[in-house]
Amino acid sequence: MDKCQVLHSKFRQGDDFALDRALQDGCQWADSLRPSEPCEIKPKSFTTRDGERVTFEVRTGACPPRKPTPAQLTWRDTFAAAARACRGISDRHERTNCQRAELHSRRGQAPIAPLPPTLAMKTTQLCGTPAERSRTEIITPQGKDPAEYEIRSARSLIASHDPQSFTPDPRYPEHVQERDYLHDVNEQRKVVYGSEHLDPAILIHHAPTPVDGPPLVTQDGCALGGNGRTLMLKRAFANDTAGAEAYREALACQAPAFGIDPRRVQALQDPVLVRVIEGTRCDSDPHELARAVRRYNVGMTNALDEMALAVSQSRQLSPETIAHFGELLGGDLSLREAMREEPSVFVRILQDDGIVTPQNRSEWLTSSGALTDSARD
């Protein structure tokens, strides 16, 4: 696969920068997607926690590909030099402290205090005994299910499909899981994206509902709620991603809040925080397990009807998007015909306005990348 094909694949998967790189490299597929509106550059800035003012640019329209500024090149070289200076330090936290000190010294700033140890959490400030903190309830529209927080090895958890090949796992009970990870490319993309961008803040917190927080599993490890989250975690640990290491460290730090000894986390290479549903097993009645999966895939908020949802989403469209739609409708093409002929253009625009996201791609796109009937409606 050549470079232009790789960039095209990344663009279809939602990579916002793939089009810029394709235009820069002269890829033919990108020429038809080149923005027609004039380039507009707006300066923006923010202040870091160290009090430093960072300025950057927001570019819209037919802007030339970005080139690193002299300041960015200098910062890159400074960071690389600091990393090289601390390369021989094996302890992760000492190496991080070394790099922070190197960066400050190379930029002529005052020394900074070292980072606190990962497990410097004051457990005396926690409420209740460990046994009390480990108990929880899963709130669904049908009621509350008692559960308990536990640490399990990612390898021991049984998801509906293999996180790498997406073939069904024979250990998982049949006709229980609602999502078809084997044939639905969008579901596969969601797992791949989630594993590569694993965020501990989403997975490690006291969520009372099943659609957020730690996965919900049976007593012997079958994922009933958060099956996708389980696949993401298994894939992240199997591929040894940076997100998996960040998850492990965050879990060790926050384990006491869930009534768990941090040493239990440190003893495993792939620890995962789960909520174990009382009285359930992989070999329980499949009908009851399927009912549980359906229950755990529903949030507590009332869903908007299709008309109200369409109106709400239309309000997210920017004036630039409306103007771009108008340009795409040149000639005698109807909006539905234009969406059918140029689905990737519409998807890119709707991604920019936050309507199409990695989480809802399966609602908007077919496995071939075309817009679904409901999306065109």
Side-chain angles (χ1 to χ4, degrees), residues 154-155 159 161-166 187-198 227-244 270 272:
R155 286 166 292 181
H161 294 71
D162 182 271
Q164 306 289 352
S165 65
F166 297 107
E187 291 294 343
Q188 295 176 11
R189 286 174 178 163
K190 185 168 66 176
V191 172
V192 172
Y193 181 88
S195 68
E196 294 174 350
H197 301 80
L198 203 64
N227 182 72
R229 279 166 271 163
T230 304
L231 287 169
M232 293 173 194
L233 285 161
K234 288 171 73 71
R235 185 183 177 99
F237 276 113
N239 296 343
D240 195 23
T241 66
D270 55 350
V272 174

Side-chain angles (χ1 to χ4, degrees), residues 255-297:
F258 299 93
I260 295 168
D261 189 335
R263 289 173 294 186
R264 169 65 178 156
V265 178
Q266 294 174 313
L268 295 174
Q269 290 296 321
D270 55 350
V272 174
L273 178 67
V274 296
R275 290 174 283 180
V276 179
I277 307 301
E278 290 186 6
T280 59
R281 294 185 57 82
C282 294
D283 57 0
S284 297
D285 181 357
H287 179 68
E288 291 302 319
L289 293 180
R291 285 169 57 90
V293 168
R294 175 87 291 270
R295 192 164 66 247
Y296 296 150
N297 276 336

Side-chain angles (χ1 to χ4, degrees), residues 37 139 142 157 255 274 316 349:
E37 59 265 35
I139 302 175
Q142 290 77 23
L157 298 178
V274 296
Q316 294 180 241
I349 294 173

Side-chain angles (χ1 to χ4, degrees), residues 42-46 53-58:
K42 296 181 180 179
K44 289 197 174 184
S45 61
F46 65 91
R53 194 70 174 174
V54 177
T55 303
F56 62 100
E57 295 177 343
V58 175

Side-chain angles (χ1 to χ4, degrees), residues 24 57 59 65-77:
Q24 185 177 9
E57 295 177 343
R59 297 145 51 94
R66 288 185 175 88
K67 293 183 179 179
T69 64
Q72 289 173 330
L73 292 172
T74 300
W75 170 246
R76 183 191 66 184
D77 294 342

Side-chain angles (χ1 to χ4, degrees), residues 109-317:
Q109 297 174 341
I112 58 173
L115 290 173
T118 303
L119 300 180
M121 186 178 185
K122 296 182 179 179
T123 56
T124 55
Q125 296 178 351
L126 299 174
C127 298
T129 66
E132 292 170 338
R133 293 195 298 272
S134 68
R135 291 193 292 271
T136 185
E137 289 182 325
I138 312 303
I139 302 175
T140 69
Q142 290 77 23
K144 297 180 180 180
D145 295 345
E148 188 169 356
Y149 291 110
E150 288 188 14
I151 296 294
R152 298 282 180 93
S153 166
R155 286 166 292 181
S156 72
L157 298 178
I158 304 173
S160 62
H161 294 71
D162 182 271
Q164 306 289 352
S165 65
F166 297 107
T167 55
D169 190 323
R171 300 173 297 171
Y172 197 88
E174 289 187 276
H175 311 302
V176 168
Q177 179 51 229
E178 296 181 330
R179 304 185 193 275
D180 183 5
Y181 291 92
L182 178 61
H183 300 104
D184 193 330
V185 176
N186 292 309
E187 291 294 343
Q188 295 176 11
R189 286 174 178 163
K190 185 168 66 176
V191 172
V192 172
Y193 181 88
S195 68
E196 294 174 350
H197 301 80
L198 203 64
D199 188 345
I202 297 176
L203 298 163
I204 307 175
H205 63 88
H206 290 82
T209 56
V211 295
D212 298 298
L216 283 67
V217 304
T218 63
Q219 292 176 328
D220 46 355
C222 281
L224 299 182
N227 182 72
R229 279 166 271 163
T230 304
L231 287 169
M232 293 173 194
L233 285 161
K234 288 171 73 71
R235 185 183 177 99
F237 276 113
N239 296 343
D240 195 23
T241 66
E245 179 62 22
Y247 175 90
R248 187 174 184 274
E249 297 230 351
L251 185 54
C253 181
Q254 300 181 47
F258 299 93
I260 295 168
D261 189 335
R263 289 173 294 186
R264 169 65 178 156
V265 178
Q266 294 174 313
L268 295 174
Q269 290 296 321
D270 55 350
V272 174
L273 178 67
V274 296
R275 290 174 283 180
V276 179
I277 307 301
E278 290 186 6
T280 59
R281 294 185 57 82
C282 294
D283 57 0
S284 297
D285 181 357
H287 179 68
E288 291 302 319
L289 293 180
R291 285 169 57 90
V293 168
R294 175 87 291 270
R295 192 164 66 247
Y296 296 150
N297 276 336
V298 178
M300 292 296 292
T301 57
N302 291 332
L304 293 174
D305 62 45
E306 291 186 2
M307 181 63 71
L309 179 60
V311 171
S312 175
Q313 290 173 329
S314 71
R315 291 171 179 161
Q316 294 180 241
L317 298 177

